[in-house]
């Protein structure tokens, strides 16, 4: 686990503190929870995008192979 220092303006800290309290968490735990959830959500989207790109390349290679077999 890595430690990071972050700077929050007073209004953001106040709002996050209210949300943390409403969820029964300390401000630190709430920020960690939100960042963890957000980071994992986006990593899934990145993996899906990478898979789409790989599939597109495979399709292009398949088309090239088909074209080459027709030409020969």
């Amino acid at each position: 686990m890595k430690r990071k220092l972050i700077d929050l303006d007073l209004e953001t800290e106040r709002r996050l503190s209210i949300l943390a309290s409403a969820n029964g968490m300390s401000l630190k735990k709430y920020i960690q929870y939100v960042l963890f959830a957000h980071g994992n959500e986006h990593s899934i989207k990145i993996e899906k995008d990478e898979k789409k790109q790989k599939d597109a390349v495979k399709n292009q290679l398949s088309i090239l192979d088909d074209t080459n077999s027709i030409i020969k």
Side-chain angles (χ1 to χ4, degrees):
M1 185 177 299
K2 282 189 131 176
R3 298 178 72 93
K4 298 288 180 187
L5 293 175
I6 60 170
D7 296 321
L8 298 173
D9 62 75
L10 293 176
E11 182 63 20
T12 301
E13 182 184 0
R14 185 182 72 79
R15 289 172 184 243
L16 288 173
S17 293
I18 293 168
L19 290 169
S21 179
N23 285 285
M25 297 180 198
S26 69
L27 177 59
K28 178 184 174 185
K29 289 288 182 190
Y30 183 73
I31 291 171
Q32 289 173 333
Y33 166 77
V34 168
L35 292 175
F36 179 80
H38 184 70
N40 285 333
E41 177 183 308
H42 287 302
S43 67
I44 292 170
K45 289 179 183 175
I46 291 169
E47 289 172 8
K48 286 181 181 177
D49 289 343
E50 286 176 359
K51 184 178 182 327
K52 285 180 186 176
Q53 289 174 349
K54 287 178 184 176
D55 289 344
V57 169
K58 284 180 185 176
N59 287 340
Q60 290 172 349
L61 291 174
S62 168
I63 292 168
L64 283 174
D65 287 342
D66 291 345
T67 305
N68 286 337
S69 66
I70 292 171
I71 294 173
K72 291 179 181 179

